[in-house]
Amino acid sequence: MNIIMFFLVGLLVHVVFFISIFDIYFTSPLVHGMTPQHVPLPPPAKRLVLFVADGLRADSLFKPDINGTSRAPYIRSIIKERGTWGVSHTRVPTESRPGHVALIAGFYEDVSAVAKGWKENPVEFDSVFNESRHTWCWGSPDILPMFAKGATGDHVYTYTYPAAMEDFASTDASKLDTWVFDEVKAFMNSARGNQTLLSKLHEEKNVFFLHLLGLDTNGHAHRPMSKEYLENIGLVDEGVAEMVSVFEEFYGYDGKTAYVFTADHGMTNWGSHGASHPSETLTPLVAWGAGLQTAQRASTTQNYNDDYLKGGFNKSPLMSSLIGVPIPLNSVGVLPLQYLNNSLHFKAESMYANAIQILEQFKVKVTQKKETTLSFLFTPYQGFQRVFIGVGLVVSFFLLLQSSPFTYYIYCLLPVPVWYFVVSFFYRAMLTLGLIILGLWPFVSGLYRKAKMLQVLLCVYVLASTHSSLQMKQGLPLFSQLVSWATLGSSFFVPLLSSTRLFHRLLSILLSLICVYLVLSTGYEALFPPVLSWLMFVWINMEQEAVDTQNLYSIDFAENIDLTRIRQLRLDDIRRSYFFSLFHSFDPASVYCFLTVFNPFIMGGLLMWKVLIPFIIVMCTFESIQVSTRLSSRSLFLIVLVISDLMALHFFFLVKDYGSWLDIGTSISHYVIVMSMTIFLMLLSVMTHILTSKRILIGQKMKMHFK
């Protein structure tokens, strides 16, 4: 009962501190109450057509194929003859939702969005769509609704296809783009017979948004170098050409339509995105039409500037200036003047409105900070390094008062730079010191002188057959799907049918987890659990030899522990805890054996379980060490928690609630990961105790394995 109370109290304490990060830091950095800034001049365009090719890499669009011909001949002609183009550099996380928020609202995703739903922003924000007179959107149900929800009024109209169409095993994911093009054509044709809609379409400051998800889906399913992905680029190019003809014909070639073609993020060669590799951050930008710079013939003496358009958020002020709407209030983008084809007066007024709009945010933010901070503590640009300088000055002052020798200053001040530069999660090489000590320990201590496979094969077959079926575009086989889900479900109770003898039970747990990990693997990472398990068995043997206890084969997890034989903590136990603490990008291909239709919550849960499998293996080993060394589980686990909590405390004070999304997200992630690890370790310890020591009885007879 005391052990249960210990875990419950420890869990409660860590849950409280885990939640505290959301209450203290995890609040929205967006400010409200700014005045919209207008340009007092007529805009060059009456309407804007925005094409976003989700997941399109810059090099995939601009680079010709092996025959030297362009994959997108229409867009290539725009670049050469009547438009302007460039490469924009998006920021981490390179995901669809933050990418579109940056494009259309002008800022990188609200930090509080991490704790909210996947498909919509947690707070209201301004956007080009909201500032427009009317906006019509076609595309994915994952992206469009959040802009309609954030709009003030009902002037943002969305048309989405069913979520079931987003199938990674689809024979042709480009049908998502074809659906958009067909719907736009049908919409424009129907408008000719609807006078109310026709009048709205002929108003100024209108936006048409075409979200094209086919490339992203094909990239995940087949990789960006595949025939499907590259052919999808050609289909998008043809669709854009057709859409331009539809709009130009509908508006009588009035020359008042601006077109922008871009992407929210790119994609790695292995079909993922979310990190900061150039293949994920470099996206194309092609703009043409009213108010946009036309193609200029380059002279041989021209000096080329290969600088990128910094950030997707810069496209928001560009689109706002083209149709004459205020730049979104929370936008941090800077107007790229090189894309505009207008008078110097118009450019100057646009730059001024952009600067005032950003300044307004700063003023509101400063006012809010002053109102919630004591005046003598308010310093706008304080850094963490001031903290260490202060500690050093305080220590020096006390040493000076005591007239201490010069060497005392060295002894007392040396830890200050050590803590700042060395003892930190960011300098992972320091952990090598502990590993070297652990590696030398068997030799120093003299230990070196002491001397269900059918299920695995079935999972190998399932993985191979699924891969083959998807390659041939035949979808996910039902048999493979059933076996995968059955393997996942059975892995929780099959080990409970085996003997509770140490090696028997560990082997049963290992085989069950390997089967699950196998069907969640995409390649050679499937070898990781067997190698990790082999290392764990070596660790168990080394620790058993160190304490020279009973033979490992005779140890039973289910035996009642003799309290009189439980020993107290020793210095060696710090080594065991340290060794344990050392084991503390979205790729949907890992879950293709289970499902192929996009579902972020189920996919995320499966991927999380895949991540937890190595931890369960290590936790089971840790449980074995406790049993074999006859040490109280509470005592040894307490050392692990102390080590984890020290790291968590360090990261708590490094959390940022200002700066870019990358800075904020990274600082929060470090704390959340360490705190989550502590909570998970508690829960996993209970789970592994059940896995190792409990047993399911079938009828009145125990089913013994490996006897």
Side-chain angles (χ1 to χ4, degrees):
M1 189 64 181
N2 291 333
I3 295 179
I4 296 177
M5 184 61 65
F6 166 76
F7 279 107
L8 290 178
V9 173
L11 181 62
L12 176 63
V13 171
H14 286 87
V15 167
V16 170
F17 282 110
F18 179 80
I19 296 176
S20 70
I21 190 69
F22 299 96
D23 185 46
I24 298 173
Y25 292 106
F26 229 149
T27 55
S28 173
L30 298 184
V31 293
H32 303 280
M34 292 80 68
T35 303
Q37 301 299 313
H38 294 267
V39 176
L41 294 173
K46 290 185 177 181
R47 66 200 69 91
L48 169 73
V49 180
L50 173 62
F51 303 95
V52 177
D54 200 308
L56 175 60
R57 294 163 43 147
D59 61 334
S60 297
L61 177 70
F62 296 134
K63 184 180 179 180
D65 59 21
I66 56 176
N67 298 322
T69 58
S70 175
R71 300 187 181 104
Y74 177 77
I75 294 178
R76 184 68 179 178
S77 67
I78 294 294
I79 293 173
K80 294 176 64 177
E81 299 169 9
R82 56 192 181 97
T84 184
W85 68 284
V87 176
S88 59
H89 201 306
T90 62
R91 289 189 183 178
V92 175
T94 47
E95 299 285 356
S96 293
R97 185 175 70 177
H100 281 87
V101 170
L103 280 171
I104 301 166
F107 66 93
Y108 275 97
E109 189 175 37
D110 187 347
V111 63
S112 61
V114 178
K116 306 295 181 180
W118 177 277
K119 299 182 181 180
E120 58 185 36
N121 233 50
V123 296
E124 291 187 0
F125 59 90
D126 196 17
S127 69
V128 176
F129 294 174
N130 183 48
E131 295 291 350
S132 69
R133 181 152 292 146
H134 302 286
T135 295
W136 289 271
C137 312
W138 296 268
S140 169
D142 301 323
I143 298 298
L144 305 189
M146 69 176 175
F147 293 103
K149 179 182 178 182
T152 54
D154 56 354
H155 63 285
V156 178
Y157 313 98
T158 61
Y159 304 91
T160 63
Y161 40 73
M165 288 183 64
E166 298 180 20
D167 189 346
F168 295 108
S170 173
T171 55
D172 185 13
S174 62
K175 65 183 179 183
L176 301 176
D177 302 336
T178 304
W179 184 95
V180 172
F181 297 139
D182 291 341
E183 288 293 315
V184 173
K185 287 188 293 183
F187 173 81
M188 301 302 284
N189 288 331
S190 66
R192 301 180 191 275
N194 186 330
Q195 190 58 43
T196 303
L197 178 58
L198 191 63
S199 61
K200 289 182 180 180
L201 289 172
H202 279 85
E203 292 178 0
E204 297 180 347
K205 303 179 181 180
N206 283 343
V207 177
F208 302 90
F209 173 41
L210 283 69
H211 176 238
L212 309 172
L213 188 63
L215 284 165
D216 184 77
T217 306
N218 269 322
H220 284 312
H222 306 290
R223 309 300 182 256
M225 302 304 175
S226 65
K227 178 172 67 88
E228 291 82 2
Y229 184 89
L230 298 178
E231 289 181 350
N232 202 157
I233 295 178
L235 182 142
V236 167
D237 181 71
E238 294 173 359
V240 170
E242 186 179 17
M243 291 298 100
V244 171
S245 298
V246 168
F247 282 105
E248 291 297 320
E249 181 182 355
F250 185 87
Y251 288 107
Y253 300 92
D254 62 355
K256 291 296 182 179
T257 306
Y259 300 92
V260 174
F261 178 88
T262 187
D264 55 341
H265 57 75
M267 188 168 291
T268 63
N269 289 340
W270 51 92
S272 66
H273 56 80
S276 58
H277 190 272
S279 62
E280 300 167 87
T281 60
L282 299 185
T283 57
L285 174 60
V286 182
W288 68 100
L292 288 158
Q293 192 63 262
T294 56
Q296 304 292 321
R297 186 171 297 277
S299 63
T300 56
T301 59
Q302 180 177 355
N303 293 323
Y304 289 94
N305 184 2
D306 61 354
D307 198 14
Y308 298 123
L309 176 66
K310 298 296 191 299
F313 47 71
N314 291 336
K315 301 168 189 175
S316 176
L318 172 64
M319 294 187 292
S320 300
S321 298
L322 290 173
I323 57 176
V325 300
I327 298 175
L329 296 176
N330 293 113
S331 172
V332 295
V334 178
L335 177 66
L337 290 177
Q338 67 271 30
Y339 283 82
L340 291 179
N341 181 18
N342 215 310
S343 65
L344 293 177
H345 185 196
F346 181 85
K347 292 182 179 180
E349 290 285 358
S350 299
M351 289 175 61
Y352 178 75
N354 189 189
I356 296 299
Q357 171 261 327
I358 294 177
L359 180 62
E360 283 287 315
Q361 295 182 72
F362 174 76
K363 289 180 178 179
V364 172
K365 192 68 175 179
V366 169
T367 302
Q368 289 181 354
K369 284 291 184 181
K370 284 185 176 180
E371 292 175 350
T372 57
T373 308
L374 295 176
S375 58
F376 67 92
L377 294 177
F378 181 76
T379 52
Y381 302 106
Q382 55 185 346
F384 189 66
Q385 298 91 335
R386 293 182 183 182
V387 176
F388 284 94
I389 293 175
V391 172
L393 291 176
V394 170
V395 173
S396 301
F397 176 72
F398 280 105
L399 292 175
L400 182 63
L401 289 179
Q402 300 177 58
S403 301
S404 301
F406 173 75
T407 53
Y408 282 29
Y409 288 84
I410 298 177
Y411 303 150
C412 295
L413 292 177
L414 186 60
V416 176
V418 168
W419 272 95
Y420 180 67
F421 291 109
V422 177
V423 185
S424 172
F425 181 82
F426 306 103
Y427 297 89
R428 304 303 300 275
M430 291 306 300
L431 295 177
T432 306
L433 180 61
L435 289 174
I436 292 175
I437 295 175
L438 289 175
L440 295 176
W441 165 66
F443 299 94
V444 174
S445 62
L447 285 180
Y448 71 98
R449 300 191 187 95
K450 302 179 180 180
K452 296 184 177 179
M453 301 306 293
L454 182 60
Q455 177 72 6
V456 176
L457 295 176
L458 179 60
C459 291
V460 171
Y461 167 76
V462 166
L463 191 64
S465 64
T466 300
H467 177 73
S468 175
S469 179
L470 294 180
Q471 284 289 93
M472 294 186 292
K473 300 181 181 179
Q474 295 177 352
L476 175 60
L478 179 60
F479 176 76
S480 298
Q481 192 173 21
L482 292 175
V483 171
S484 299
W485 284 108
T487 300
L488 176 63
S490 63
S491 65
F492 294 100
F493 66 87
V494 165
L496 302 180
L497 299 174
S498 67
S499 168
T500 53
R501 292 296 178 91
L502 189 144
F503 277 120
H504 298 168
R505 178 55 64 92
L506 288 182
L507 185 58
S508 180
I509 295 173
L510 168 63
L511 292 178
S512 297
L513 294 178
I514 283 181
C515 292
V516 178
Y517 202 92
L518 189 60
V519 293
L520 284 171
S521 299
T522 59
Y524 57 84
E525 80 265 22
L527 298 175
F528 175 65
V531 174
L532 176 63
S533 302
W534 177 256
L535 176 62
M536 295 298 99
F537 279 123
V538 171
W539 182 29
I540 293 173
N541 278 281
M542 291 171 62
E543 294 293 351
Q544 190 269 344
E545 292 288 345
V547 296
D548 197 24
T549 60
Q550 66 191 99
N551 189 285
L552 285 175
Y553 291 94
S554 64
I555 296 177
D556 195 317
F557 282 114
E559 287 182 352
N560 293 326
I561 300 177
D562 185 357
L563 297 179
T564 61
R565 301 180 63 183
I566 294 180
R567 61 179 180 82
Q568 298 298 315
L569 284 171
R570 298 196 301 246
L571 188 62
D572 276 356
D573 297 319
I574 299 178
R575 177 195 71 244
R576 299 182 177 100
S577 302
Y578 179 80
F579 186 88
F580 171 76
S581 65
L582 289 176
F583 285 92
H584 283 350
S585 63
F586 177 66
D587 186 0
S590 297
V591 300
Y592 282 175
C593 289
F594 294 86
L595 76 166
T596 55
V597 176
F598 181 68
N599 188 315
F601 299 105
I602 296 180
M603 288 180 169
L606 290 171
L607 291 174
M608 180 60 69
W609 182 244
K610 178 182 178 180
V611 171
L612 289 178
I613 285 176
F615 288 96
I616 296 176
I617 294 175
V618 177
M619 284 295 296
C620 289
T621 306
F622 196 60
E623 184 83 6
S624 304
I625 297 298
Q626 294 175 7
V627 174
S628 63
T629 58
R630 299 192 177 278
L631 181 65
S632 170
S633 60
R634 180 173 60 180
S635 301
L636 196 57
F637 195 72
L638 189 60
I639 301 177
V640 177
L641 294 184
V642 169
I643 296 174
S644 299
D645 286 345
L646 286 175
M647 293 180 64
L649 183 64
H650 178 65
F651 291 122
F652 181 85
F653 293 105
L654 292 180
V655 171
K656 297 180 180 179
D657 59 354
Y658 58 89
S660 69
W661 165 257
L662 178 60
D663 298 332
I664 297 171
T666 300
S667 66
I668 291 176
S669 296
H670 288 154
Y671 177 77
V672 170
I673 289 172
V674 175
M675 283 302 298
S676 299
M677 192 60 60
T678 303
I679 296 173
F680 271 122
L681 288 178
M682 289 184 172
L683 298 177
L684 285 178
S685 66
V686 176
M687 179 180 178
T688 52
H689 179 72
I690 296 174
L691 275 177
T692 54
S693 61
K694 303 302 178 183
R695 193 171 186 189
I696 296 177
L697 298 178
I698 301 178
Q700 298 298 321
K701 184 180 179 181
M702 289 186 178
K703 183 178 180 181
M704 304 297 290
H705 289 187
F706 310 106
K707 284 292 186 180

